[in-house]
Amino acid sequence: MKIELIANHTTDKRANRDGYISAMAEMMRENEKLVHIDCDLMGCVNAGKLQKEFPQRTINAGIAEQNAVGVAAGMAATGMIPFVHSFGCFAARRCFDQAFLSAGYSQLPVHIVGTDPGVTAAFNGATHMPFEDAALYLTAPGAVVVDPCDYVQTKSLTEKLAAYSRLSYMRVIRKGFQTIYGDGSEFEIGKGVTLREGSDVTIIASGILLDEALIAEEKLREDGISARVIDMHTWKPLDEELILKAAAETGCIVTAENHQVSCGLGSAVANVLVRNEPVPMERIGIQERYGQVGPQKFLMEEYGLMAEDIVWAAKRAIIRKRTK
C-alpha cells in the first residue's frame, strides 16, 4: 500500500468526481465487462467522457433509480461489472430494496456511487442532503461502504471496488474538498491509514471531515495535546485491528463524519470498542437533524463539523479518560 501524504489544507483543483471517471475510463479500456449506468445525472459526474469513448457501455437509465439497480443486477448476473451513479439521496433511499435484494442477497457485484453526501449537497437542500445514505448499506451483509476524501483516494478505491465481487456503496464528494494524498497513492479496502501519530487521543475521520481532523490535530498540538489521526475511508469492512490498537494506546477516541452519528462511522467504531476495548468516546457528525439549504462551510458550522468542534470533543474525551 503506497501512500504519499500532502494534507496542506488547499483545495484540490481537480474534481473528486473525476477521480471516479478517470479510474472508470482506464478500467473500461482494459476490461470490456465494466459498465457505467447513470440516472440522468451524467453531467454531474462528467460521465459524458465515458459515453463518448464507450457508448455501448455507458447507459443513461433516466430518473429511475430502482430500475437502474435492477438492470445493473441483471448485467452483473451475466458477468458484467456495473457501476451505478445517482445523487446519494437517491442512490440510497430511493433504490435500497433493489440493491439489498437484487444485488446484495444475490451476491452480485453491483457498485453504487452516491454523489453529494451529507452537507456537500449544499444548495440542493434538505431533499437532496443524505445524512443516512451509508447507514442503509451498512446493514447489507457482506457489502462494502467507503467514504473517500479526495481525487486520488476516490480513483484508487474505485479500482479496488471493481475487483470486489459483492455489493458496494461509495460516497463521492463532487467538488470543494481539500487535497490529502499525492498522486499514485493506493489504498486497501478495509484498511485505515494513520496520518498523524499521537498518544493522548485518537481522531478517526473520513471524507470532508478528514482535513478538519488534521487541522484539529494541529490546534491540539499547540495546546500540548498529542492526537493521533486515522483516515477510516472504509466503514465496512471496518479496520477493527487499527481501532483497537489506537484505543489501547491512546485511551480515548473521537470520530468525525459527514453523516448521522447514530448510524454511521461513529456507531460502527462504538460497536467495535464496546465489545473489545471500552474507552471514552465522543462523536462528531449530524446529531438527529434534517438537511437545509446553504453554502457547505455554513452547513459545516451549523451542524458542528468544524475542526474546533473536533478539538472540544477531543478535550472532553481526555477529561473523561482521566476521571473514569
Side-chain angles (χ1 to χ4, degrees):
M1 189 165 61
K2 173 190 173 185
I3 294 176
E4 178 190 353
L5 181 63
I6 295 180
N8 55 7
H9 310 310
T10 59
T11 302
D12 200 315
K13 295 179 181 179
R14 298 165 298 188
N16 205 352
R17 59 193 175 189
D18 289 331
Y20 165 72
I21 293 299
S22 176
M24 286 295 290
E26 292 176 10
M27 292 189 296
M28 290 172 81
R29 292 183 191 112
E30 298 177 358
N31 188 345
E32 294 184 352
K33 293 183 178 181
L34 265 291
V35 179
H36 173 85
I37 301 175
D38 219 298
C39 299
D40 209 30
L41 291 169
M42 287 201 289
C44 295
V45 286
N46 291 337
K49 296 178 180 179
L50 300 180
Q51 189 175 48
K52 182 177 180 180
E53 187 172 355
F54 312 102
Q56 300 302 315
R57 288 186 284 139
T58 305
I59 302 167
N60 187 351
I63 307 174
E65 292 80 10
Q66 298 100 322
N67 184 56
V69 173
V71 168
M75 297 182 79
T78 68
M80 303 298 283
I81 305 172
F83 281 73
V84 183
H85 163 254
S86 187
F87 287 148
C89 54
F90 305 131
R93 296 193 301 262
R94 184 71 52 85
C95 61
F96 182 66
D97 191 43
Q98 286 73 22
F100 189 93
L101 293 175
S102 298
Y105 176 73
S106 301
Q107 299 185 28
L108 294 172
V110 174
H111 307 295
I112 299 177
V113 178
T115 50
D116 289 2
V119 297
T120 66
F123 290 106
N124 278 337
T127 59
H128 287 55
M129 198 163 286
F131 291 156
E132 68 300 304
D133 56 321
L136 294 172
Y137 287 97
L138 288 172
T139 68
V144 166
V145 177
V146 297
D147 186 35
C149 64
D150 65 6
Y151 173 97
V152 172
Q153 193 170 71
T154 299
K155 186 174 187 294
S156 176
L157 289 176
T158 299
E159 294 166 352
K160 296 299 191 304
L161 289 173
Y164 192 75
S165 60
R166 299 285 290 274
L167 171 67
S168 75
Y169 178 68
M170 178 167 64
R171 314 176 85 213
V172 174
I173 317 153
R174 285 197 293 150
K175 51 190 176 182
F177 57 93
Q178 310 309 114
T179 301
I180 303 294
Y181 297 105
D183 288 346
S185 296
E186 296 181 0
F187 306 88
E188 290 183 37
I189 290 172
K191 293 294 182 183
V193 181
T194 301
L195 301 182
R196 296 277 192 273
E197 292 291 350
S199 57
D200 295 325
V201 61
T202 296
I203 304 169
I204 300 175
S206 66
I208 61 169
L209 269 292
L210 191 57
D211 188 62
E212 297 299 320
L214 291 167
I215 295 172
E217 183 273 333
E218 294 166 4
K219 293 179 179 293
L220 288 165
R221 196 189 321 152
E222 293 173 359
D223 292 338
I225 297 172
S226 174
R228 184 175 305 187
V229 178
I230 292 175
D231 172 9
M232 196 62 70
H233 53 75
T234 304
W235 293 12
K236 184 179 181 180
L238 199 59
D239 193 341
E240 297 191 7
E241 182 180 353
L242 186 60
I243 292 169
L244 295 176
K245 181 175 184 291
E249 293 178 354
T250 67
C252 57
I253 301 285
V254 174
T255 56
E257 61 191 295
N258 175 32
H259 191 275
Q260 292 278 9
V261 298
S262 62
C263 52
L265 176 62
S267 60
V269 171
N271 287 339
V272 174
L273 295 176
V274 75
R275 287 185 287 107
N276 299 280
E277 187 79 27
V279 298
M281 178 180 174
E282 297 284 334
R283 299 182 299 178
I284 294 296
I286 311 302
Q287 307 284 344
E288 292 296 316
R289 295 180 63 183
Y290 289 98
Q292 59 185 296
V293 177
Q296 182 173 312
K297 186 175 186 299
F298 161 78
L299 293 170
M300 291 182 70
E301 293 172 348
E302 171 71 14
Y303 291 104
L305 306 180
M306 302 297 291
E308 291 79 6
D309 301 299
I310 299 174
V311 167
W312 285 111
K315 291 181 177 180
R316 290 195 302 270
I318 292 170
I319 290 172
R320 290 174 58 198
K321 175 178 69 171
R322 291 173 178 170
T323 58
K324 71 173 183 177

